[in-house]
Amino acid sequence: QSALTQPASVSGSPGQSITISCTGTSGDVGAYDYVSWYQQHPGKAPKLMIYDVSYRPSGVSNRFSGSKSGNTASLTISGLRAEDEADYYCKSHTTSNADVFGTGTTVTVL
Amino acid sequence: EVQLVESGGGLVQPGGSLRLSCAASGFTFSDHWMHWVRQAPGEGLVWVSRINNDGSITNYADSVKGRFTISRDNAKNTLFLQMNSLRVEDTAVYYCTRHLHDWGPGTLVTVSS
């Protein structure tokens, strides 16, 4: 149950688009379309932003989008805003009947 | 509105036990898988355990297998996590989540002598 690999940090200017990668294996990301993405502000509980690779829960901005290719999933934030500054985590179900999170990415809005 | 409220956290010595509870409301509790996720101070999210809607299926992270037990009381809309043989590295905020979609605010468990 090794953590999925994410870049430690990604930054962008307001209005720009950024993409966060999440790399796993054929036993997790590559096995199912059960990848989710979470946003976490300091001291707060995580918030679901994307589920099942590319679906947005009600109330989540359409500036957030997800995709997957092979063993790598991606979260794209378009039209970057100051309030998007937070930590982001991917999550995948695994073939071992477990779930595994990514290492986390800190997004900085310049 | 979905509400999840964890309780039972606190300070415990290494080797000790603690039982976390999660009170659920705003949805049909007995219809959903429930999970526990933890986050050590300054660290990332780590999945701990999950249980199916009627409690007949449970899964655990390798790091807690044999020490932690997840359970639920559907009549009382409550999820539990029994934690035994606690280690310093179990220190974390523990979150209760409905299907890893909705999350409680978390409860802090500190394992220290």
Side-chain angles (χ1 to χ4, degrees):
Chain A
Q1 294 171 356
S2 298
L4 308 175
T5 301
Q6 298 180 231
S9 63
V10 173
S11 62
S13 300
Q16 285 187 328
S17 292
I18 61 170
T19 297
I20 303 169
S21 62
C22 170
T23 302
T25 69
S26 57
D28 39 63
V29 175
Y32 309 105
D33 285 340
Y34 292 149
V35 176
S36 300
W37 288 90
Y38 301 86
Q39 176 191 66
Q40 187 179 34
H41 287 107
K44 300 294 186 181
K47 175 187 176 183
L48 179 68
M49 306 301 285
I50 295 287
Y51 67 95
D52 294 353
V53 176
S54 60
Y55 292 87
R56 276 187 310 276
S58 175
V60 172
S61 170
N62 59 9
R63 298 185 299 105
F64 292 83
S65 62
S67 63
K68 191 189 89 166
S69 177
N71 297 337
T72 299
S74 299
L75 173 71
T76 298
I77 309 174
S78 58
L80 200 60
R81 298 179 181 176
E83 60 260 36
D84 299 332
E85 190 161 287
D87 292 329
Y88 291 83
Y89 296 89
C90 60
K91 190 279 303 181
S92 176
H93 189 61
T94 80
T95 55
S96 302
N97 285 323
D99 287 276
V100 61
F101 284 92
T103 50
T105 298
T106 298
V107 169
T108 301
V109 181
L110 301 171
Chain B
E1 179 194 2
V2 172
Q3 282 207 315
L4 300 165
V5 180
E6 304 90 342
S7 61
L11 176 63
V12 61
Q13 291 189 336
S17 298
L18 214 53
R19 190 194 198 200
L20 304 184
S21 298
C22 172
S25 61
F27 64 101
T28 305
F29 182 70
S30 58
D31 282 352
H32 294 272
W33 285 75
M34 298 293 294
H35 299 243
W36 287 99
V37 174
R38 70 185 182 184
Q39 186 171 34
E43 302 295 320
L45 301 172
V46 176
W47 177 81
V48 173
S49 181
R50 68 173 188 165
I51 186 168
N52 74 331
N53 60 316
D54 67 5
S56 61
I57 300 172
T58 58
N59 300 109
Y60 299 91
D62 289 343
S63 57
V64 306
K65 203 171 294 184
R67 300 187 300 123
F68 290 12
T69 302
I70 190 172
S71 62
R72 64 193 297 160
D73 184 338
N74 285 347
K76 296 183 177 178
N77 292 343
T78 304
L79 176 72
F80 301 102
L81 185 67
Q82 177 67 42
M83 304 185 295
N84 298 332
S85 302
L86 281 162
R87 306 167 180 169
V88 171
E89 55 265 34
D90 294 320
T91 294
V93 172
Y94 284 74
Y95 295 103
C96 160
T97 103
R98 181 187 76 130
H99 201 52
L100 293 171
H101 280 216
D102 302 289
W103 297 60
T107 186
L108 176 62
V109 172
T110 303
V111 184
S112 174
S113 54

